[in-house]
Every structure is written in C-alpha cells, then in structure tokens.
C-alpha cells in the first residue's frame, strides 16, 4: 500500500477536525478526497505530510510511519498546499531551481517527469511567479512539487480558483503522471471532478461518508431521481418542498432533482399536483444519480 | 430604455494603459432575471463588474444600471444595488447582529427598519441561536447565506454577487440558490460572476467573456444547443479553446 | 551544503527585489544618524536671555558683557522690574532671566558677597538645567578673575573638566545609540518578518516537508541579514567619523567583533519573535514595541539609567542594547580595550546563547 490510514482523529482546542478516518491508497492510484471547505481535507493532508501529529490513529506513506519516519517521508513525497505556495518575487525558473536545490537535485536530472507540464510555462520562465495567471501558477506549483521525483504526490485543492480550461488540462496532466507510477492523493470541493479519480472518498465534517470508485458510488444511491422542470423555478421549488410525499428536493441547474418517499410513485400524480399550483410547461423525467446527489444523501 | 431592463450596457470599454481589459461589451439584463457573468481568470469580469457598480469609470461606452448612468450617476447606482463577494462578505470579528446593524446603517436604514429587517431575517434563515455569535465562528455556508441576505437589506433593485458559493457544501449551496430564486421571484435582478460552470446552469441567461469580449450570450439551454455541448462546462471549454 | 547555498541565494533575491525595504534598510541608518547628529541636540547655543539689572554698575555690566560674548547666550531684552519676568517668559523665546540685586558692586566689595538670581523656563527641564549650569560657570569664572589678586585662605575651588567628550557634543552620545537601534531593528525585525512571510505565503509548509533541516532554514534566513547588518554598521561608523568628526579611540577591530556579536544577539531575538508570531504584521508589532521602545527608553541611550527608579534600573539589565551601548561608548569614546568590557561582552554572549536555545526549542518541525 502506498498510503495507509488507520483511525486517524484530530482536534484543535475543542473543535474536532477529523474523526476516525481510515482508508488505503494503492500504488499508482489516483485517489480523490471530495468534500466542501471545512470538511477536514487540509488537516488530513497536513497529517499525512508530517506537518501535524494526529491525536489518535496511525498512518504510513510509502511504508514509512508518519511520526517515527517523518524525515524519510519528507524526502519521498511531493506536496502542493492549498494556495499555490510559490515565491512571488522569484521568476518561474528561479522557483523551480530553488525547489530542485533544496531537494538535492537539479532540473535536468528529473526534467523528463515535468517536461509535459513545464513546456507550457517555459516561454514565461523569466517572469516573476506573482505575475502569472492562476492556471500557470498551478502548473508551476505542480512542477515544483514533482521536481524531486516523489513516490507519492499530495495535492490539496489544486483546482480551486482556476478556470475550467486550466482545470481540465490539470486533470489530464495528473492522468499522465499516474502512468509513471506516482501515487496521487488529490482533494477537491468540486463533485464533478470526482469522476476523474480511480477511487474517491466523500468527506464532510471530519468524517468519511463513503469510499469507492466513482461509478460504484452513484450506484449506491437508494432512490430514483426525477428531473423536474417548469416555467417558474422558484414556484416549482416552493411547491415541491411543501408536497407531502417529497423525500428530497434539490435544484440542479435548470432542473430540480426530486425523489419521492413512496415506493409506488407515479410521476403523473406529481404533475397533477404541480398543475394545481399554477405551474406551466411541466416536465418530469427519470435521471441518473450524480456523485453530488449521493453526497447530499449521505451528508443529510 | 425599456421599463423591463435592469441593466443596459453599450460598448463599455476599459483600458489600463495599452491593455484593453474590457473591450466594447454590450448586453441587457431584464428585471428579475438571474444573469450569469462567466469568464476565465483575467477575462475582464471583475473590471466590467466594477464599472457597473460605479467604483470604476469606463474609458468609453455607456451603461445604465437600475436606471442610472455609470458615467454620470455612480453615487445613485451605489444606493440602489447590493453587493456581495466571496473575498469579503461580513466582518468576522462582529456578531451576526452587529453586522446586520452596521450594514443596515451604512445604507441609511432607520433603527426601526433595521430591527424589523433583522427580525425578519432571523426568522427566515432560522438564525435564532447564532444571532449573537461572532461571524468567524460560523461555517462558511452560513456566512454566505447571511451575507446574501445582508446585501438585500435595503431592498436593492439589483444584487451583484462575485463568486458567491466557492467551496460551500452541496446542500448549503442549494439553499443559497433557493435564496437567490426567491429574491429574483420578488423582482430583484441578480448579477452573478463565477467561473464555476455548474453554477452557470442555474442562471436564466449567461454571458461568457473571453479576453475582454463577450463571446456568447443566451440561456444555458440554447448555448448548449448552439455549441452542441452536454453542459455549460463543455460550452466554456469549446469557446475558450477556440 | 549545496542546498544551503541555494537557500541563501533565494534569500538575497528576496531582499534585492523588494526595493522598498531595501531603501529602508540602507536609507534609515543614514537618515537617523543625520537626524540625531544635526537636529536633536543637548547643547545650548545662542539661547535668548533677558536681564533685570537693579544696580547697573561696573561689575554687573562686566558680567553681562561676558555672557553676551559667549556663544551660548544672546541677550534679548533688558527689563525694568520683576513684574515683567512672567510676561517675558510667556512670550516664549526668552529661556532665562538674570536678576541682579541692587547695589551689586558695593555689596560685593563691602560684604564680600552679592546675589544674582537665575530664573529659567523649566518647561524643558533639560535645557533649563543646562542654562543654569552654564551661567553659574561663567559667574564662577568671573569671581575667580576678580579674586586673582586677593588671597583668600582656605578656599575650595572645584574645577570641572568633562573628559571623553570635552565639548559635550551630543552626537557622541547618539552615535552608539543609533547604531544599536539600527542593528537591532535590521537584524531582529527583518529576520522575523522574512520568516513569518514564508508562513503567511504557505511556502513554510513546503520547506518543512522538504529534506532541509529546520536549522538550515533558520541559519539560511539569518546569514543574509548578518551581512546586511555589518554593512550598516560600517556605514554608521564611517558617517560618524567623517561627518561628525567623532573619534574612535579604541580598536576598530574590537568594535567590529563586538558589533557582530550584537548582530547575532539581535538575530536570535528575531528568530524567537518569528516562532511566536504567525503573520508579518504581528512580527513587526512585536519587534517595534518589544524591541525599539526598550532600546530607546531603557538602554541608557537617551535617559541615564542611574537616574531611573530602581525597578526600571533592574529591568534595564535584561536589555541587550544597554550592554552594547556601554561597550560601544567604551571603545569609541574612552578607547578601552577588551579587558575593560569583557563583562559586558560575556553578558551579551550569554543572552545570545539563551535566545538561540530558546528559539530552537520553540521552532517547530511541524505546524503545531
């Protein structure tokens, strides 16, 4: 196992950040930690990168214990903290060179590994990091985290605050890194990114709700979800919320995801009810559960 | 200008030196509409919004916001709009109650009005237990919901939301959007900037800005048809990659 | 070692790219020393005084002439009666009034003593004191000249001589103080800010998760500032020698070594500050309030320690700057060698070791 976490708990003063977290990540796996801000993702990352000591539980990274062998772990992991922690007043090249030096290596030595990523920012290598766009900062930060050829890569919310194009490119880069045998633990608040991981853990309020492949996780959703649509969104939500048989009502883009508490639910009944509420252009269709639906159901 | 138009923008341009941040954009936002203002980082969204809320003077072009001209009446605009951003929403070291009183005060509400509004807000969001807590001790989702309601305190005609729901958990995020729908239903115009595409799907109409220009403007449904895309995310990717 | 050099290189990039703090770093010593040297002074020069002469005879005229011809005083006004004294002080520019009693000469020759009253404006007590001393000195001087031919038996005449700073130049007093402040500020504040900046940016997390050892990070942070502080010390010494003609009586080499010792003391304090503060702002506040004020107020730089209340005298002992000022004054003004200042040096060494041990203990290899 590349990462093994057993019953980790952590609290600050009287606030519990993590309670009884356990999971394992196989070598070369792309594992996603999916949850909103404040779920405990960053605390978990800091424990696994030896920056914090858990109150309870054990963990090993590349078979090194996070407490006893913290020095070995520090030599073998790459870490990209939540904010792209770069030296804003150093140029792209200087940043990369600095991180290479402190890890006792050179850019040339591991250029193969970062080549794909670095060529995209190489034209700007004389530019100060502070003047880069969000997407370029993200690529530079990843290059810096990779420069010493780590066995395990920790990426704490690498796509937060980055536009969709850069996000997509970033995930493509991760997929390529995976083929080089690097284990990647990545956290994100975006549910839509979950599908890109091999396996995911849904996390909220310091607890893991579920661990599985993205495909399996949505299968666990217990109910049939209906896409409901009508001309007046607000009235639709209001009406569904007071419908006596509703189980859950969540706006989902242009639709409302509706589940019913009855087993023998007939959409026509709902349509009739909505008509009595003066709603027009009503449509009700069965739809697939998403990871977000599952998350909300589990977090309820 | 038609009665039903809340924001009317015509060839609005902003240059910083040689750099054109916003390049002759034009669009209309209808009253009571939820308007999504999308774009990548650095596409010019923030600059455009700053002009619309009257804190940045355009280089050229014109815009009417809530019936006031951005060039000549920026102070009147400020009085008739509400504003909330992810970066700054409420004072962390004040309680919920103090924040409400403060923001009510700067928008010229009387003490009586503030008290009424606060009572109403506490009821609506079920804040009874946290109204005297420091904002810093609240979960992010709560802060965002309260901040939105505070932006509505003075019954503005238009509310500008700058990336309001980043990082919020899915359930709270939906509660937040329900609040938005509710405000829109009462006739408040909502102007949202975001680069989270799933958020775009909630809007009545959406504009996408690329390099200072508006490259697409329509309802999410029509945009998806037009670009033959599954989601707004795909629309955006197709647009941005040319 | 290569890692370490890479780290120091990075620190120098930071320093040289931040034009504003670079300016503060080198502009401040020059500005401060000029300010203290020229603007702030304890000497009196051309102080306006008024005379109330109730006798108007040869002796008083002679005394008045003597006062007027000294560079210290210029007689602004002659007043006629005591009621005017208050009014003239209220106008502000006259700092002292000399009141000669009636029949001054006659009394002096018949009774062998005559009175002159010195009234000073003590809103500024230091100046008032100095004025009174200067006037007394001039009067005493005069008494001696008129008594030259008369032999009075059993007379004790104190002869004051100010040694080490004959002309009582205040710049001599300020240079050691300013040097202390600047070295303290540059070393302690700049290091603590540069360490906390890494915490604020989040880069400290990456440094911690790297194979760099914590002491390498700290020493790497400190080395550039040792260098900059030495440059600063040299600038100050050169300025004081060439602009203010301040002598360095003792060994320049010894002064250099002691300065480096004090720089290291300040740096270790800076590291200690950075271990307790999370943001650059707190680091700056602690440095300013916790270091600057005691250095200015309690080190003996401006206010003499011996005239402080006992508790403050005791507190002043724990301020490193106090000992450094003694050392600098000793070397620069008295020209003493190491044998005279070994005690103070030892105290500084002890303090430095204490701060270093404390900050290594407090420095975390983790975030908590």
């Amino acid at each position: 196992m590349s990462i093994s976490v057993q019953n980790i708990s952590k609290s600050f003063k009287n606030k519990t950040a993590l309670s009884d977290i356990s999971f394992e990540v196989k070598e070369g796996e792309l594992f996603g930690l999916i949850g909103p801000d404040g779920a405990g993702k960053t605390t978990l990352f800091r424990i696994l990168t030896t920056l914090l000591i858990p109150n309870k539980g054990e963990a090993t990274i590349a078979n090194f214990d996070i407490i006893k062998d913290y020095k070995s772990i520090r030599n073998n992991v790459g870490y990209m903290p939540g904010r792209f922690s770069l030296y804003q007043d150093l140029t792209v090249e200087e940043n990369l060179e600095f991180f290479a030096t402190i890890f006792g290596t050179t850019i040339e030595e591991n250029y193969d590994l970062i080549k794909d990523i670095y060529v995209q920012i190489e034209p700007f290598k004389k530019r100060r990091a502070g003047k880069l766009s969000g997407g370029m900062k993200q690529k530079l930060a990843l290059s810096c985290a990779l420069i010493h050829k780590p066995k395990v890569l920790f990426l704490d919310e690498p796509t937060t605050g980055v536009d969709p194009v850069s996000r997509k490119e970033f995930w493509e880069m991760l997929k390529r890194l995976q083929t080089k045998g690097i284990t990647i633990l990545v956290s994100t608040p975006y549910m839509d990114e979950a599908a890109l991981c091999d396996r995911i853990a849904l996390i909220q309020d310091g607890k893991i709700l579920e661990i599985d492949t993205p495909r399996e996780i949505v299968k666990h959703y217990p109910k049939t979800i209906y896409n409901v649509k009508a001309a007046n969104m607000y009235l639709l939500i209001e009406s569904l919320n007071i419908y006596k048989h509703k189980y859950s009502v969540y706006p989902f883009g242009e639709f409302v995801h509706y589940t019913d508490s009855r087993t023998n639910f007939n959409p026509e009944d709902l349509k009739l009810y909505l008509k009595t509420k003066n709603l027009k252009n009503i449509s009700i269709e069965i739809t697939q559960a998403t990871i977000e639906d599952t998350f909300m159901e589990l977090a309820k | 200008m038609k009665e039903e138009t809340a924001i009317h923008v015509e060839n609005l341009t902003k240059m910083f030196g040689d750099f054109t941040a916003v390049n002759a954009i034009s669009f209309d936002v209808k009253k009571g509409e939820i308007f999504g203002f999308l774009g990548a980082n650095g596409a010019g969204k923030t600059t455009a919004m700053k002009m619309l809320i009257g804190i940045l003077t355009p280089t050229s072009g014109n815009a009417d916001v809530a019936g006031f001209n951005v060039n000549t009446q920026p102070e009147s605009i400020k009085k008739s709009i509400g504003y909330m951003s992810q970066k700054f929403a409420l004072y962390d070291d004040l309680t919920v109650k103090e924040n409400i009183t403060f923001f009510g005060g700067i928008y010229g509400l009387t003490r009586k009005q503030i008290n009424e509004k606060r009572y109403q807000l506490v009821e609506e969001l079920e804040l009874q237990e946290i109204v005297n807590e420091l904002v810093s001790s609240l979960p992010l989702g709560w802060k965002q919901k309260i901040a939105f309601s505070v932006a509505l305190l003075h019954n503005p005609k238009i509310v500008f939301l700058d990336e309001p729901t980043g990082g919020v958990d899915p359930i709270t995020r939906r509660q937040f959007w329900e609040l938005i729908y509710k405000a829109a239903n009462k006739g408040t115009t909502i102007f949202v900037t975001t680069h989270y595409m799933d958020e775009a799907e909630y809007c009545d109409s959406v504009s996408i800005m690329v390099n200072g220009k508006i490259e697409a403007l329509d309802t999410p449904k029509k945009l998806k048809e037009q670009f033959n895309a599954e989601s707004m995310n795909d629309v955006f990717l197709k647009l941005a990659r040319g | 070692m290569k890692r370490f050099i890479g780290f120091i290189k990075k620190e120098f990039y930071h320093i040289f790219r931040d034009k504003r703090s670079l300016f503060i770093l080198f502009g401040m010593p020059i500005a401060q020393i000029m300010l203290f040297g020229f603007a702030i002074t304890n000497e009196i020069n051309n102080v306006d005084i008024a005379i109330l002469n109730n006798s108007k005879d040869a002796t008083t005229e002679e005394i008045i002439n003597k006062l007027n011809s000294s560079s210290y005083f210029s007689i602004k006004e002659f007043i006629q009666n005591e009621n005017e004294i208050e009014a003239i002080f209220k106008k502000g520019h006259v700092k002292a009034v000399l009141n000669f009693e009636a029949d001054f000469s006659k009394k002096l020759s018949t009774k062998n003593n005559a009175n002159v009253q010195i009234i000073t404006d003590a809103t500024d007590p230091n100046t008032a004191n100095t004025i009174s001393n200067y006037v007394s000195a001039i009067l005493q001087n005069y008494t001696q000249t008129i008594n030259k031919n008369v032999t009075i038996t059993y007379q004790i005449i104190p002869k004051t001589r100010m040694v080490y700073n004959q002309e009582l130049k205040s710049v001599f007093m300020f240079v050691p103080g300013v040097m202390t402040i600047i070295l303290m500020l540059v070393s302690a504040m700049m290091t603590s800010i540069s360490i906390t900046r890494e915490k604020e940016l989040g880069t400290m997390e990456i440094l911690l998760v790297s194979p760099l050892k914590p002491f390498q990070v700290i020493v790497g942070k400190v080395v550039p500032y040792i260098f900059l502080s030495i440059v600063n010390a040299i600038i100050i010494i050169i300025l004081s020698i060439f602009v203010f003609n301040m002598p360095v009586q003792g060994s320049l080499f010894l002064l250099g070594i002691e300065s480096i010792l004090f720089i290291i003391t300040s740096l270790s304090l800076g590291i200690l500050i950075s271990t307790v503060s999370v943001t650059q702002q707190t680091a700056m506040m602690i440095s300013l309030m916790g270091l600057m004020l005691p250095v200015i107020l309690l080190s003996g730089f401006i206010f003499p320690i011996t005239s402080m209340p006992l508790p403050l005298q005791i507190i002043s002992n724990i301020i490193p700057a106090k000992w450094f000022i003694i050392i600098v004054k000793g070397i620069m003004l008295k020209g003493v060698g190491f044998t005279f200042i070994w005690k103070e040096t030892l105290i500084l060494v002890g303090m430095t070791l204490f701060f270093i041990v404390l900050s290594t203990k407090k420095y975390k290899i983790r975030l908590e």
Side-chain angles (χ1 to χ4, degrees), chain C residues 171-212:
Chain C
V171 67
F172 287 14
M173 177 180 152
F174 285 128
V175 164
V178 171
M179 190 156 135
T180 314
I181 289 191
I182 288 169
L183 293 186
M184 188 81 166
L185 211 65
V186 169
S187 316
M189 190 161 88
M190 293 307 217
T191 6
S192 60
I193 287 179
S194 102
I195 296 177
T196 42
R197 184 172 48 204
E198 300 241 8
K199 289 194 199 173
E200 236 172 72
L201 274 176
T203 41
M204 192 52 106
E205 275 180 57
I206 301 187
L207 294 183
L208 285 173
V209 186
S210 79
L212 269 184

Side-chain angles (χ1 to χ4, degrees), chain C residues 67-320:
Chain C
L67 285 170
N68 215 2
S69 60
S70 80
S71 64
Y72 307 121
F73 302 107
S74 76
I75 293 164
K76 197 77 185 170
E77 246 174 284
F78 288 92
I79 52 174
Q80 300 311 322
N81 64 60
E82 294 191 3
N83 301 336
E84 289 175 59
I85 295 176
E86 174 116 30
I88 205 163
F89 276 133
K90 280 192 175 155
K91 271 197 264 167
H93 49 88
V94 166
K95 296 291 174 210
V97 176
L98 260 67
N99 182 0
F100 294 95
E101 66 174 334
D103 304 323
F104 195 87
S105 270
K106 212 201 272 164
K107 279 185 185 164
L108 196 64
S109 48
T110 55
K111 293 187 189 168
N112 276 338
N113 79 58
N115 290 318
V116 56
Q117 188 184 21
I118 308 165
I119 308 160
T120 50
D121 174 357
T123 42
D124 180 352
N126 282 335
T127 319
N129 221 340
T130 322
I131 292 173
S132 144
N133 288 338
Y134 277 49
V135 174
S136 307
I138 291 172
L139 287 173
Q140 203 183 13
N141 206 328
Y142 178 74
T143 331
Q144 279 168 33
T145 48
I146 57 170
N147 283 338
K148 223 186 312 185
N149 305 323
V150 194
T151 15
I152 303 166
T153 40
Y154 314 121
Q155 192 184 17
I156 299 166
I157 303 166
K159 286 202 166 191
T160 328
R161 197 182 139 230
M162 304 287 195
V163 288
Y164 305 130
N165 184 1
Q166 307 248 10
E167 294 149 86
L168 291 177
K169 279 200 179 169
S170 48
V171 67
F172 287 14
M173 177 180 152
F174 285 128
V175 164
V178 171
M179 190 156 135
T180 314
I181 289 191
I182 288 169
L183 293 186
M184 188 81 166
L185 211 65
V186 169
S187 316
M189 190 161 88
M190 293 307 217
T191 6
S192 60
I193 287 179
S194 102
I195 296 177
T196 42
R197 184 172 48 204
E198 300 241 8
K199 289 194 199 173
E200 236 172 72
L201 274 176
T203 41
M204 192 52 106
E205 275 180 57
I206 301 187
L207 294 183
L208 285 173
V209 186
S210 79
L212 269 184
K213 295 184 183 69
F215 84 85
Q216 284 179 314
V217 175
I218 294 297
V219 176
K221 281 272 164 199
V222 157
V223 166
Y225 290 101
I226 292 186
F227 174 76
L228 289 176
S229 301
I230 291 173
V231 172
N232 258 327
I234 294 170
I235 293 180
I236 295 168
I237 292 171
I238 289 177
L239 273 179
S240 49
I241 293 175
F242 292 101
V243 180
F244 298 106
N245 298 317
M246 184 173 176
V248 178
Q249 308 281 8
S251 138
L252 261 178
F253 176 73
L254 183 61
L255 185 63
I257 297 289
E258 295 283 353
S259 301
I260 292 175
L261 171 63
F262 183 66
I263 289 169
I264 296 173
T265 318
S266 312
L267 289 171
S268 52
L269 254 174
I271 298 169
L272 191 62
I273 291 172
S274 70
T275 58
V276 293
S277 36
V278 184
T279 61
Q280 296 182 59
Q281 213 183 355
T282 12
M284 187 131 89
M285 286 300 284
I286 297 179
S287 308
L288 283 176
M289 305 303 283
L291 299 179
M292 275 284 272
L293 284 182
V295 169
I296 294 177
L297 300 176
L298 294 176
S299 66
F301 164 30
I302 293 180
F303 307 108
I305 292 173
T306 41
S307 49
M308 287 176 196
L310 189 65
L312 285 186
Q313 288 196 33
I314 294 168
I315 292 173
S316 77
N317 286 328
I318 59 164
I319 292 168

Side-chain angles (χ1 to χ4, degrees), chain A residues 16-56:
Chain A
T16 307
L18 293 174
S19 54
D20 207 24
I21 300 279
S22 302
F23 64 92
E24 285 185 331
V25 181
K26 290 192 274 290
E27 223 173 286
E29 195 173 22
L30 176 55
F31 192 92
L33 212 53
I34 319 288
D37 285 8
K41 300 190 301 285
T42 300
T43 307
L44 182 58
F45 269 77
R46 287 181 171 165
I47 288 175
L48 297 183
T49 50
T50 76
L51 287 170
L52 289 176
I53 297 177
N55 300 123
K56 258 197 342 223

Side-chain angles (χ1 to χ4, degrees), chain A residues 106-119:
Chain A
T106 58
I107 301 181
E108 293 74 38
E109 206 173 315
N110 292 317
Y111 191 72
D112 274 359
L113 192 62
I114 60 160
K115 195 175 161 234
D116 276 353
I117 308 155
Y118 191 60
V119 286

